[in-house]
Amino acid sequence: MTNSAKLSQVTTLVAVPWNAFVVAFLYYTLLASIALSGAQLGSMTIGVAYAAAPVAYGATLLLRLVRGAAAWLKFTHVAGLTSAAHSHA
């Protein structure tokens, strides 16, 4: 596999859809406006609010990795069965 193909796979794995990027931008803009308005929110609330988007992104990456691993395992299992069938024929 060439370097450009590997780079393309990694880029596809970590890519964020445009609509998710826009939603995250608007979410952080809302949080910044709340913080600048002088609202008295606890530090824990602010911490959780700011961590929500990266946690969601991490969960998305984890889900992509699990799905990729499951597809790879299914492929290798099917390929193993196919090669075993050909070797016994």
Side-chain angles (χ1 to χ4, degrees):
M1 191 180 302
T2 65
N3 284 338
S4 63
K6 286 181 184 179
L7 180 62
S8 177
Q9 286 179 339
V10 170
T11 303
T12 301
L13 176 68
V14 297
V16 177
W18 179 249
N19 59 351
F21 174 79
V22 171
V23 168
F25 177 79
L26 293 174
Y27 177 74
Y28 281 121
T29 301
L30 175 67
L31 289 178
S33 65
I34 290 171
L36 292 173
S37 72
Q40 298 295 322
L41 300 174
S43 60
M44 183 65 135
T45 303
I46 296 295
V48 169
Y50 274 93
V55 168
Y57 179 64
T60 300
L61 287 180
L62 183 62
L63 182 61
R64 287 178 185 175
L65 287 172
V66 168
R67 286 180 178 169
W72 180 78
L73 288 172
K74 183 178 178 182
F75 173 75
T76 55
H77 178 72
V78 169
L81 291 177
T82 304
S83 65
H86 287 294
S87 65
H88 292 327

